[in-house]
Amino acid sequence: MSDLTKAYDPAAVEAELYDDWMRAGLFHAEPDDDGEPFSIVIPPPNVTGSLHVGHALDNTIQDVIIRRERMRGRNAVWVPGTDHAGIATQNVVERALAAEGTDRHQLGREAFLERVWRFKEESGGVILQQLTKLGASCDWDREAFTFDAPRSRAVREVFVSLYEQGLIYRGNRLINWCPRCSTALSEIEVDHEEVTGELVRFTYPFADREGGIEVATTRAETMLGDSAIAVHPEDARYRDHVGRRVRHPFQDRVFEVVADPYVDPEFGSGAVKITPAHDPNDHEIGLRHDLDVIDIMDDDAILTDVVGERFTGLDRFVARREVKAALDEAGLLVAVEPHEHAVGHCSRCATVVEPRLSLQWFVTMRPLAERAADAVRDGRVRFVPASRTTSFLEWLDNLHDWCISRQIWWGHRIPAWYGPDGEIRVSREDVDEPGWEQDEDVLDTWFSSQLWPFTVFGWEHPGSDTPELAAWYPTSTLVTGYDINTFWVSRMLMIGLWFTDDVPFRVVHNHGLVRDAHGKKMSKSFGNVIDPLDLVAKYGADATRLALLRSAAPGTDVPLAEEWVEGARRFANKLWNVAGFALANLAGVRPGPLPARAELALEDRWILSRLAAVHRDVEAAYQGYDWPVVTRGLYHFVWDELADWYLEAVKPRIYGDDDVAADVARRVLAVVLDDTLRLLHPVMPFVTESLWRRLTGAGGGRESLMVAAWPEPREGDVDDLSEAAFAELRSLVTEVNRFRSQNHVAPSKRFEIAVVGDEDGVVARHTALVASLATLSGVRVVDEAVEAPGVSTIVYAGGQAQVDLAGLIDVEAELSRLDRELTRARDDLAKVEGKLANDGFVTRAPADVVERERTRRQELGAVLSQLEERIEALRTLR
């Protein structure tokens, strides 16, 4: 007998199994373990974070991959860890300080950093702990942190080496600046949002004559830093104006009209104001024409005294209003028009980002980018899906220098010291000499996280030689969302090649972003956010994983609805019940060698052939990272073939008196269930492990499905003839069941059918099986069909069968019932057609309502056709 509960209860299984895996050390690997090395490093989540659906999908995919590779005998390691997340973490702690009535400046740098470290120790590991609820089989003994001592030594080594190679420099360049966080930002730290702003059109007067040139801007305040007007060299309207000067209306200066091919003559007036200190495109034009660079703001986005007395000290947005008012007073304002455009916002605090000229540290990217692009083009790194390759290469081919300094305190402090006479010393060791001060800034978080794939294996400097690096670097697969290919994946590839002379990963598997069931972005403001931990608590980790994977085709966004998780829970329960039947009836039989082919019944050969086909398809899908194919294939095999057909087919043998036939059925069932649990384990590790231990008698610990062998195809299991034969029987049984439904014959009512065919046909050789599956009293094989009142014919894939309706159906009563249904359906159709014939309804009702009525019309038409056909068929039986 089985000791399984009637229904699967994840809460009673998951925590206990996970602890057992941990105690047995099944997640841990050593470089000299047996098997070909295979490695994945987790994209380190921020220490400020908690598990969201994006993390859940990303880590489920990684766990599926690593579990399968373990079962394939690979020396597989999955390294976890977290990112110190400079700006994000500092903001969290600063908000806490503000609530206490203080700030970091009152605390001082050292005390503030102590406070952040305390926050990290108390809260920084929450998200990794949450991953255990999902079943993540990370090697927790190898947990790393981007700001721990080994990683910090590596960061300093890379910075100094790049500086010595002339690839890191300090200079005045245009960067993204957040006035709220008071720091420079990388592109990935800027969210570009479409907003309804304004386009301000105004005129710059000529300095030496009447008239002027009209320009337009979305940021009126920046005109206080303009140093030129640009027009296209071939724009005939302005050919005579190139070289002419205009006068600034609020400052005592003039500047020229220049010709530059960047200008789009079709946009606006065709003339563009140029502010080299506050716009990246303007900055490039300024470099080409040697224009003055006028920075009009301080770090808090307050206008400085370079703008003139009227505007000095104003916030940039207040200044925007004042500039428009001043232009209007001067008679120079042409118009203010609504304008849709993208505006950069700080991803941490949502403040509008200000492009501005600033003295920062930069990395020269061109040499690194060229080497990375070559690695993609020659196939050393492969993207799945391949469609992501083009945009990745376009990014690398057009990469600008990277601003790596941040004006915050939490992070890797830049290893540069300034001497008393302005000297700069970049050093691997701290400079502790009188008069020397270290740079106050820290490095961009991405500078340290780009080193992740090799520093987690012990790299600290060129020539580092650790057993972990030798075994597991390059890593095998990187799993990440496509949205950070350019910002993180590209940096890891560039720096990995530069310092290890090899790629950091062989495959980049891009999944999409998790959205709601309608494809809408999940957002608290939309009220459609799904918490994966709530799903795990309610439906179990296995169901949550299966629901996430079911739509996660490579590179496409992933819809998710709670009802899909509920459906996945039902599947877990179905598997539980399938195994429950097996365990209750195997009579001690364990998975082992299959019986000889000659001993197998048709249903045995069929299920083994179907299992072989599913194994083949699922194997290819696992290799291709096609998770919907993996999950659909196994789902339908378990539910539609193993549960619905094979179990029903073997019951007569298992319950029968023929001990030999029963033993064969049990041995096949044990093998099929064993292989199925193995194939499903990477996706649904908890329920499969629990069932497999009962099936095999494994005692837990090292006797675990997690390290059991991955199924291998068996020679001879593929059997097209048996599949075709069983398909014929399935068709007959299906049509008999349809006959029952259409004629309201109870499922338990037994009756005889006569199958037209020869004595050597498939049905003739399996009449007992058909009778059992279709709940029939008998199956006769006859030479030909009869034409007689009261006899109904059933058509199936292999031919036809007949049923004598005497005593089975009251034809007159059934016709009366069908006539009533026909009348009701005709009335419903008339109402729908009346609505759709009404122009007022069609033109005024919401489009989805009209479409719903059109769909209803089609459905009712199909119902009418079916009823009429059924009535006509019954009339022939009178």
Side-chain angles (χ1 to χ4, degrees):
M1 293 293 292
S2 168
D3 66 343
L4 294 186
T5 55
K6 183 176 180 180
Y8 174 56
D9 180 8
V13 170
E14 293 178 350
E16 182 180 341
L17 274 182
Y18 197 89
D19 289 344
D20 186 63
W21 289 331
M22 286 286 289
R23 286 192 299 269
L26 296 179
F27 302 162
H28 183 66
E30 289 292 338
D32 58 354
D33 285 348
D34 293 339
E36 181 184 351
F38 185 95
S39 57
I40 296 178
V41 294
I42 195 173
N46 292 351
V47 290
T48 58
S50 59
L51 194 71
H52 59 61
V53 286
H55 293 131
L57 172 66
D58 190 79
N59 287 281
T60 292
I61 292 173
Q62 292 175 77
D63 195 49
V64 168
I65 294 170
I66 208 73
R67 285 178 181 273
R68 176 172 172 270
E69 295 302 332
R70 283 197 198 99
M71 295 178 73
R72 293 180 66 217
R74 309 286 287 274
N75 180 13
V77 67
W78 180 17
V79 180
T82 50
D83 194 303
H84 66 281
I87 295 175
T89 306
Q90 178 155 321
N91 279 346
V92 169
V93 177
E94 286 200 87
R95 284 195 294 270
L97 291 175
E100 298 168 10
T102 186
D103 59 34
R104 64 179 168 121
H105 298 289
Q106 293 182 51
L107 251 63
R109 185 168 193 143
E110 185 174 342
F112 176 75
L113 290 178
E114 288 177 0
R115 180 69 177 263
V116 183
W117 274 109
R118 190 162 70 246
F119 164 80
K120 185 267 175 187
E121 295 305 319
E122 293 171 354
S123 306
V126 168
I127 190 168
L128 297 184
Q129 294 167 7
Q130 291 171 337
L131 283 178
T132 67
K133 302 294 185 185
L134 200 64
S137 59
C138 300
D139 188 342
W140 299 110
D141 295 336
R142 298 187 179 278
E143 183 181 335
F145 177 50
T146 57
F147 202 9
D148 62 20
R151 260 52 64 181
S152 295
R153 289 191 291 270
V155 167
R156 179 171 289 198
E157 173 61 36
V158 167
F159 184 97
V160 175
S161 294
L162 290 174
Y163 180 81
E164 291 171 346
Q165 296 165 34
L167 295 175
I168 281 184
Y169 64 93
R170 191 172 185 242
N172 267 303
R173 293 179 62 92
L174 209 70
I175 49 89
N176 297 305
W177 182 264
C178 175
R180 155 63 182 78
C181 299
S182 294
T183 184
L185 302 175
S186 67
E187 281 298 324
I188 196 171
E189 294 164 318
V190 178
D191 295 331
H192 295 277
E193 302 172 9
E194 288 292 326
V195 301
T196 301
E198 60 185 20
L199 190 67
V200 179
R201 294 164 46 207
F202 68 94
T203 301
Y204 265 119
F206 289 122
D208 57 355
R209 52 177 263 186
E210 292 296 315
I213 294 182
E214 181 183 320
V215 295
T217 179
T218 58
R219 299 153 66 212
E221 72 281 4
T222 62
M223 63 88 65
L224 299 171
D226 286 353
S227 55
I229 293 175
V231 297
H232 195 277
E234 298 179 5
D235 191 335
R237 294 172 296 175
Y238 299 111
R239 190 167 294 145
D240 295 337
H241 294 328
V242 175
R244 188 177 299 278
R245 293 186 172 190
V246 298
R247 175 177 51 81
H248 199 287
F250 309 130
Q251 297 168 2
D252 185 19
R253 59 188 180 90
V254 296
F255 45 81
E256 290 188 350
V257 178
V258 301
D260 194 279
Y262 168 78
V263 178
D264 178 6
E266 302 299 321
F267 181 76
S269 67
V272 180
K273 60 182 280 303
I274 304 301
T275 319
H278 293 281
D279 182 274
N281 297 314
D282 291 5
H283 186 68
E284 295 300 317
I285 292 173
L287 293 175
R288 288 194 289 272
H289 298 275
D290 195 25
L291 301 178
D292 290 338
V293 180
I294 305 168
D295 186 355
I296 65 172
M297 299 179 195
D298 65 14
D299 290 354
D300 299 319
I302 302 299
L303 272 60
T304 64
D305 57 9
V306 301
V307 300
E309 184 177 353
R310 176 171 181 174
F311 305 106
T312 298
L314 296 180
D315 173 82
R316 55 181 168 163
F317 298 123
V318 175
R320 185 172 297 176
R321 293 196 301 270
E322 289 298 313
V323 167
K324 287 185 291 183
L327 287 169
D328 195 25
E329 292 168 9
L332 300 174
L333 184 65
V334 176
V336 178
E337 303 164 346
H339 182 63
E340 292 282 338
H341 64 130
V343 176
H345 293 72
C346 176
S347 63
R348 303 304 177 191
C349 67
T351 300
V352 174
V353 167
E354 190 65 42
R356 64 183 296 230
L357 201 67
S358 182
L359 181 61
Q360 303 285 345
W361 289 90
F362 296 86
V363 179
T364 302
M365 302 304 295
R366 189 76 264 130
L368 285 76
E370 288 173 354
R371 189 176 292 188
D374 288 344
V376 175
R377 289 189 169 100
D378 64 25
R380 281 176 286 160
V381 173
R382 178 172 63 92
F383 279 82
V384 178
S387 58
R388 294 291 169 188
T389 307
T390 300
S391 60
F392 187 79
L393 288 172
E394 287 174 352
W395 167 268
L396 289 176
D397 292 342
N398 295 279
L399 200 54
H400 298 293
D401 288 0
W402 172 21
C403 175
I404 56 172
S405 45
R406 297 290 179 270
Q407 289 66 53
I408 59 175
W409 289 350
W410 172 249
H412 298 276
R413 195 166 176 181
I414 291 175
W417 283 260
Y418 305 103
D421 298 320
E423 314 97 309
I424 298 179
R425 188 186 301 177
V426 172
S427 174
R428 290 175 177 81
E429 305 296 331
D430 288 354
V431 176
D432 187 17
E433 298 176 19
W436 286 80
E437 296 291 336
Q438 187 175 359
D439 196 304
E440 292 286 326
D441 294 349
V442 303
L443 290 165
D444 180 7
T445 296
W446 296 100
F447 191 91
S448 54
S449 62
Q450 70 178 337
L451 315 181
W452 189 250
F454 52 95
T455 57
V456 297
F457 294 126
W459 189 98
E460 293 186 13
H461 53 78
S464 291
D465 183 16
T466 69
E468 286 80 4
L469 279 169
W472 289 315
Y473 187 86
T475 64
S476 308
T477 302
L478 174 72
V479 178
T480 187
Y482 61 76
D483 54 322
I484 57 173
N485 276 350
T486 51
F487 303 117
W488 187 49
V489 177
S490 66
R491 300 196 198 288
M492 287 190 290
L493 181 55
M494 287 185 282
I495 211 71
L497 280 163
W498 198 262
F499 280 94
T500 72
D501 202 31
D502 205 344
V503 296
F505 29 72
R506 304 295 188 196
V507 174
V508 178
H509 169 42
N510 280 152
H511 57 73
L513 308 179
V514 182
R515 301 184 179 275
D516 71 11
H518 307 290
K520 193 174 183 180
K521 179 181 178 182
M522 288 191 184
S523 167
K524 290 181 180 177
S525 61
F526 295 152
N528 62 348
V529 172
I530 298 176
D531 186 335
L533 294 174
D534 290 344
L535 298 179
V536 170
K538 191 172 182 180
Y539 303 107
D542 288 334
T544 303
R545 291 162 66 111
L546 181 63
L548 284 166
L549 294 171
R550 69 187 288 273
S551 300
T556 62
D557 285 345
V558 182
L560 179 66
E562 184 171 346
E563 54 263 37
W564 301 348
V565 188
E566 186 177 6
R569 165 67 184 275
R570 287 195 295 271
F571 173 71
N573 203 58
K574 186 71 170 182
L575 180 65
W576 186 261
N577 290 333
V578 166
F581 169 83
L583 294 170
N585 291 283
L586 285 177
V589 171
R590 303 291 191 195
L594 284 168
R597 293 290 294 179
E599 298 180 62
L600 300 179
L602 171 61
E603 59 267 26
D604 299 331
R605 299 193 301 274
W606 170 75
I607 196 65
L608 288 170
S609 188
R610 291 304 307 136
L611 177 59
V614 170
H615 187 179
R616 180 194 63 231
D617 295 344
V618 166
E619 185 71 22
Y622 269 122
Q623 293 175 11
Y625 306 92
D626 196 338
W627 311 118
V629 172
V630 170
T631 54
R632 280 199 304 268
L634 292 168
Y635 180 101
H636 289 299
F637 176 75
V638 169
W639 200 300
D640 301 337
E641 296 179 320
L642 179 56
D644 285 357
W645 288 96
Y646 185 67
L647 292 191
E648 296 304 316
V650 298
K651 282 179 180 178
R653 286 190 290 151
I654 287 178
Y655 296 152
D657 297 329
D658 187 335
D659 292 343
V660 174
D663 182 65
V664 170
R666 291 184 176 110
R667 289 165 65 189
V668 173
L669 177 56
V671 168
V672 170
L673 184 57
D674 182 32
D675 279 6
T676 302
L677 294 174
R678 291 173 193 246
L679 290 170
L680 255 175
H681 176 73
V683 174
M684 305 178 77
F686 291 106
V687 67
T688 54
E689 176 81 51
S690 181
L691 294 174
W692 187 82
R693 290 186 181 183
R694 290 174 167 88
L695 176 66
T696 62
R702 301 299 297 183
E703 293 182 0
S704 170
L705 177 55
M706 183 189 292
V707 288
W710 187 249
E712 293 291 336
R714 282 179 294 272
E715 187 177 352
D717 276 5
V718 177
D719 188 338
D720 294 338
L721 291 177
S722 293
E723 287 205 42
F726 197 80
E728 183 176 331
L729 301 187
R730 286 179 69 178
S731 175
L732 175 55
V733 172
T734 300
E735 293 306 321
V736 169
N737 289 336
R738 182 174 288 114
F739 166 84
R740 286 181 184 276
S741 176
Q742 290 176 343
N743 293 283
H744 294 268
V745 177
S748 59
K749 177 72 173 178
R750 291 182 179 271
F751 55 89
E752 184 182 74
I753 65 171
V755 178
V756 180
D758 60 64
E759 295 295 334
D760 295 325
V762 172
V763 175
R765 287 183 280 115
H766 298 91
T767 54
L769 179 57
V770 172
S772 173
L773 291 171
T775 319
L776 299 171
S777 60
V779 178
R780 291 186 296 113
V781 178
V782 297
D783 294 334
E784 58 184 22
V786 298
E787 296 290 338
V791 175
S792 179
T793 299
I794 297 172
V795 179
Y796 69 101
Q800 57 182 347
Q802 293 188 311
V803 181
D804 186 349
L805 300 182
L808 192 62
I809 297 175
D810 185 336
V811 174
E812 295 304 325
E814 183 66 9
L815 279 171
S816 177
R817 186 187 67 80
L818 291 173
D819 280 335
R820 290 194 300 273
E821 285 194 22
L822 185 65
T823 299
R824 186 162 54 250
R826 283 173 174 163
D827 290 344
D828 290 345
L829 181 59
K831 291 176 184 176
V832 171
E833 288 180 332
K835 282 185 179 180
L836 293 174
N838 183 338
D839 288 341
F841 172 78
V842 174
T843 57
R844 294 194 186 98
D848 62 324
V849 173
V850 175
E851 186 58 33
R852 191 160 60 242
E853 291 300 314
R854 287 174 176 152
T855 301
R856 176 72 174 147
R857 178 172 61 185
Q858 291 178 339
E859 293 171 346
L860 286 169
V863 169
L864 278 174
S865 296
Q866 292 169 4
L867 287 170
E868 289 166 350
E869 290 175 7
R870 182 71 191 126
I871 289 170
E872 184 62 29
L874 280 176
R875 283 175 177 161
T876 65
L877 301 177
R878 281 175 161 170

